Structures are given as structure tokens and as C-alpha cells.
Amino acid sequence: MAPVPPGIRFLASFNRDQWYKAFTFALTFLLYTSFHLSRKPISIVKSELHKNCSHVMRAPTESISGQQPVLHPELDCSWKPFDRNNYKQLLGAMDYSFLCAYAIGMYLSGIIGERLPIRLYLTVGMLTSGLFTCLFGLGYVYDIHSLGFYVFVQVANGLVQTTGWPSVVTCIGNWFGKGRRGLIMGLWNSHTSVGNILGSLIAGYYVSSNWGLSFIVPGVIIAAMGVICFLFLIELVRKHDALVLYSSRYDNSPVMRTPASLMLRIRLSISQQVLHVTQVSPAVCLQGVVEFSLCLLFAKLVSYTFLFWLPLYITKAAHLDAKKAGDLSTLFDVGGIVGGILAGVISDKMGKRATTCAVMLLLAAPTLYGFSMISQFGLGPTIGMLLVCGGLVNGPYALITTAVSADLGTHKSLKGNARALSTVTAIIDGTGSVGAAVGPLLAGLLSAQGWDQVFYMLMTADFLALLLLLRLVMKEHCSHRKRPGVAVE
């Protein structure tokens, strides 16, 4: 008998549950990558909506008389209504429209999401998000110059995008236990940076020739991923596999995936979740939820300010065009991938989530100050600063929104209600989204007085995030050494 190749033996060592875990890990990674991929184009297109184009237009009378040509800066070059002097405030208001709707919708999304099948809820959110992302790009195709149109699309898109985060975190959190959760979540959460990188590259490819496609292409991608989600996402049902559903928790007979059985499952899911409402309310009172939520508010303020304004800042400070600035800004996201993974690994080893976040926040403030002087650097130092800054800024943000949320959402006081993880995630990320809404808006207002003011605001936010974690840091250091693996109690 021929020997079995080592690769086949390795694959055969995985049981069915492990295959489902790996598949769910990869699929949810790709699903949320498409969410961030569709959010990134606006930061790349900003420099195209308002160009630095002081071109010379010579009137016929001027050419005859020999007078000096008259400069008409930004005339017929920027996209109306962003051709005005207050364009930074208008762009900031557009960011605020999306993020404010996202913050408000996030609190509702977790409550709704835990009462509906995750697969259907996430699918509808992705399809509608693709629709509104494409609508923004169609503003270029149909020559729409109404600020109200773009604000409406941003608000609608912000609301439907709230379906994503609670759903994928609930799905991945229920599949994976607490062992090495920081490492697993750190690797998985790199989808945020991967989506930002892909979104930057796609938007940068079209931004100079047809910025409408910078939105339409990502919109089509997230809608297509919504279809894939509907067809393939596996929700964890205890003692079930991907092909078998059970008609109720009292019936152990398997029922195949048919439309009738699916509708029965939906009705049973809704009725069962109504019975479990009383088990969800303690989520708000869990120790650490308030501190981590408020810390994330300021951490996400910093992260999303970079997400929406970094390419424009590089364009102005380093005097680069939109495509080059977008490509360079992807290094910040590469640093974010490394920072998120390191935060997860270190917090797993130490068993101290809050301490890990606090150290990274402490190091981030001086790094932000150095980054504010990017215009004085050469290319090499700029690349290094982008990588370091991305890791320190996104590390705490990634850890809180993934491993910490999963730790709290599966706390023993929730009495095994796996769907309560969706509510806990929505509370923490919803509070963080308030900061995500305020940061880009303040950046738009403060940048008119100089970019230094923006970085002072970011450093202040990091300092406040650090202060909010001090009580949990002290508690971690005073806890019993006999339980080093427990990060959040």
C-alpha cells in the first residue's frame, strides 16, 4: 500500500468542526474586508473633489493687449459643491453624516441582529450597502452637484453598514473559545486594514480618470460578497453541522435545509430570542464594558480620523497627487495589521487586555507628534513613521473591538446566551463609533487653522483613552496570579 503524503495526513487530522471553524474564519474575514473596502474610497476621492489646480486661463483680450494672464485657481477643476473655500468643512460634514448614522444605528443593530438569523441579516445589509456605495459613484456619472444627495447617501450607507460588525463578531466569537482568542482575533481583525488597503488601491486606480468608479467597483464587490454570505455562511448551532438544522431545541431530529424548514427556523429563532431578552440586559452592567466602550470612543476617534483624512494630509504635506498619496497611506494600514496581531499575542501571553492597550496608547502620543512633522522627512523616515503609527493607533482599537468584546460577550453572567455577544459588541463598537463620527468632523474644522491643531486633538484623545483604562489596569495588576489567562473578569 502506498504511503499517505504528509500533506494529506495533515488535512485528514482536522475533524469536521475544525474545517467549519477554518471556513468561517476565512469567510467572515472576506465579508468584513468588503465592508472596509467600500468605506475607504471617500478618503482617496477627497483630493479629487477639491483639487490643487491653479491653472492659467487667458482671456482673448488679454492675449491681444499683451497683459499678464489672470490666474483662476480651482476654476472648473474641483467638483461642485466642494469647489468653495470651506471645502474642508463640507467634506468633514459628509464624513460626519456617515459616521453619525453608523454610531446611532450600531446600538439598534446589535439588538435587532440577535433576534434574526445572522446570515439573512448580514446579507441584506451587504446588498443595501453595495447599492448606496454605487449611488455615490453615480453622482459622477450623472453629473450630480447637490450636497444633499451625497449627504443622504452617506447617512443611508452608514445605517446599513451597522449590520456588519455585530454579525461577524458574533459568528466568529461563537465558533472560537477563549483559548488564544487574542491571537485568533488579532489575525482575523486584520481584515480592517486589508480592506482599507484594497479600497485605497481600487479607488486610486480610477480616481484621476473617473472617480465615480472608485465607488461603483467597491459597491459591486460588497454586494457580490453579500450573495456569497447568503449561500455559504455557517452559523454555529450546537451539535449541528453545516448541512443540518434542527426544527427546535427540543427536537433532535435533523431537518434538511429547505425553504419550509428555514422559515420554521426563523420563526423559532425570533420567538426564542424574545424569551431571552431578560438575559441580555446584564450585558450593559458587566464590569469593563463602560471603561472599554469609552476608551474605544477616543481610540476610534484617532483611527477614523486617519482613515478619512490621511490621504488628503499626505497630499498637502508631501505635495503628492491623489494616487501616490493613497498608495503611501496603505502603509499605515500595513502597520495596523502588525499592531493588531501583536496586541492579541501579547494580551494572550500576559492575560492583561487593558494593560496591553494602555501601553500602546502611551507610546502612540509621541509617535503622533513625530508624524505631524512628516513634511520635513524624506521618503524613508515617512514610510517608517506610517508603519509605527499605524500599529500603535490600530492595536488598541483592534483588541477592544474583537478579543475584549468576545471576552465580555461570553461572560458567565450571561448564562450561555450566545447571541448576547451581538449586543455587547454593538454597545462597545457603537460607543466607539461616536468618536469615529466626531474625529473626522473635528479634523475638517481644525485643519482650516493648520494641520498641527488636528494632531494636538489626536494626542489629547489618546491621552484620554489611556486615563479611562487606568482603573482596569490597576485591577489587572492586583488580581491573583493564579489566573493569568483571564484577561477580563
Side-chain angles (χ1 to χ4, degrees):
M1 181 176 179
V4 180
I8 300 298
R9 286 201 303 269
F10 174 76
L11 294 176
S13 66
F14 288 90
N15 58 35
R16 187 168 51 188
D17 287 343
Q18 289 173 322
W19 276 113
Y20 288 162
K21 283 184 178 181
F23 180 78
T24 303
F25 182 98
L27 181 58
T28 53
F29 181 96
L30 294 175
L31 293 179
Y32 209 72
T33 294
S34 67
F35 273 94
H36 264 265
L37 183 149
S38 66
R39 294 178 196 174
K40 186 64 178 179
I42 185 64
S43 65
I44 305 298
V45 173
K46 278 179 180 175
S47 55
E48 190 71 16
L49 295 176
H50 186 92
K51 287 184 178 180
N52 288 328
C53 46
S54 298
H55 57 279
V56 178
M57 295 185 65
R58 189 187 299 271
T61 55
E62 294 172 346
S63 61
I64 296 174
S65 61
Q67 295 177 358
Q68 291 294 326
V70 179
L71 292 178
H72 298 269
E74 302 154 2
L75 182 64
D76 295 327
C77 182
S78 299
W79 186 267
K80 296 178 182 180
F82 307 105
D83 57 341
R84 307 169 188 170
N85 291 330
N86 65 337
Y87 73 96
K88 290 183 180 178
Q89 288 84 347
L90 296 179
L91 293 172
M94 201 161 56
D95 294 340
Y96 182 75
S97 301
F98 174 88
L99 294 168
C100 185
Y102 186 86
I104 295 172
M106 185 59 73
Y107 290 104
L108 300 174
S109 180
I111 298 173
I112 298 172
E114 73 175 19
R115 289 161 174 77
L116 296 174
I118 292 176
R119 183 171 62 91
L120 297 179
Y121 185 58
L122 187 56
T123 298
V124 172
M126 297 183 77
L127 291 175
T128 51
S129 180
L131 171 65
F132 289 118
T133 303
C134 289
L135 276 180
F136 198 105
L138 291 175
Y140 176 87
V141 177
Y142 292 102
D143 203 27
I144 299 174
H145 297 278
S146 169
L147 180 63
F149 169 79
Y150 295 107
V151 169
F152 166 76
V153 172
Q154 288 287 82
V155 170
N157 202 9
L159 288 174
V160 298
Q161 285 232 344
T162 60
T163 60
W165 188 244
S167 299
V168 294
V169 171
T170 299
C171 193
I172 199 75
N174 288 339
W175 272 106
F176 292 92
K178 290 188 176 182
R180 296 199 302 173
R181 178 175 277 169
L183 172 60
I184 292 171
M185 289 294 196
L187 290 168
W188 178 75
N189 193 64
S190 62
H191 54 51
T192 299
S193 298
V194 172
N196 292 340
I197 292 171
L198 294 177
S200 297
L201 295 176
I202 293 172
Y205 183 80
Y206 296 107
V207 65
S208 299
S209 57
N210 183 343
W211 63 257
L213 289 175
S214 297
F215 292 92
I216 294 173
V217 174
V220 171
I221 291 175
I222 189 173
M225 291 303 299
V227 176
I228 293 175
C229 171
F230 178 78
L231 296 175
F232 298 106
L233 182 64
I234 304 170
E235 293 183 57
L236 176 62
V237 183
R238 295 176 183 177
K239 299 181 182 179
H240 301 59
D241 59 38
L243 300 177
V244 178
L245 294 175
Y246 286 79
S247 57
S248 74
R249 58 179 176 174
Y250 305 109
D251 181 11
N252 291 326
S253 59
V255 181
M256 300 306 294
R257 284 187 188 271
T258 64
S261 65
L262 181 59
M263 291 306 298
L264 176 61
R265 174 169 164 74
I266 293 172
R267 291 195 296 269
L268 288 169
S269 175
I270 295 173
S271 62
Q272 289 168 10
Q273 291 304 322
V274 171
L275 295 175
H276 286 304
V277 169
T278 56
Q279 296 181 359
V280 176
S281 57
V284 184
C285 303
L286 283 176
Q287 191 173 66
V289 168
V290 174
E291 289 91 340
F292 278 116
S293 296
L294 294 176
C295 173
L296 184 63
L297 186 149
F298 292 104
K300 205 167 181 179
L301 182 152
V302 177
S303 181
Y304 267 65
T305 300
F306 275 98
L307 174 66
F308 282 91
W309 286 93
L310 179 58
L312 182 62
Y313 170 68
I314 295 176
T315 300
K316 304 295 183 183
H319 308 291
L320 299 174
D321 60 32
K323 185 179 186 306
K324 291 180 179 178
D327 292 343
L328 195 59
S329 69
T330 59
L331 295 173
F332 180 86
D333 297 305
V334 173
I337 295 174
V338 177
I341 295 173
L342 284 178
V345 172
I346 293 171
S347 66
D348 277 345
K349 294 290 185 183
M350 296 175 59
K352 298 175 180 178
R353 308 280 198 218
T355 303
T356 304
C357 293
V359 171
M360 299 187 83
L361 290 168
L362 182 64
L363 296 175
T367 306
L368 289 171
Y369 179 76
F371 191 77
S372 66
M373 299 183 291
I374 186 176
S375 60
Q376 303 175 21
F377 299 156
L379 181 60
T382 298
I383 291 174
M385 190 63 70
L386 281 167
L387 292 170
V388 174
C389 196
L392 294 175
V393 166
N394 287 332
Y397 162 44
L399 186 62
I400 293 173
T401 54
T402 54
V404 170
S405 295
D407 288 342
L408 293 169
T410 54
H411 193 271
K412 60 184 179 181
S413 66
L414 297 177
K415 301 177 182 179
N417 183 7
R419 295 262 183 167
L421 176 55
S422 178
T423 298
V424 174
T425 301
I427 291 171
I428 294 177
D429 199 53
T431 305
S433 297
V434 174
V438 172
L441 177 66
L442 290 177
L445 297 173
L446 295 175
S447 60
Q449 306 172 23
W451 288 102
D452 288 345
Q453 303 299 318
V454 176
F455 282 96
Y456 292 146
M457 179 264 290
L458 297 179
M459 287 185 282
T460 302
D462 260 335
F463 179 71
L464 292 174
L466 175 61
L467 286 180
L468 289 164
L469 285 182
L470 288 182
R471 190 181 76 86
L472 291 179
V473 171
M474 296 299 297
K475 180 174 173 53
E476 285 181 348
H477 284 277
C478 294
S479 62
H480 298 292
R481 296 178 181 272
K482 293 182 180 180
R483 300 170 65 192
V486 179
V488 179
E489 209 175 310

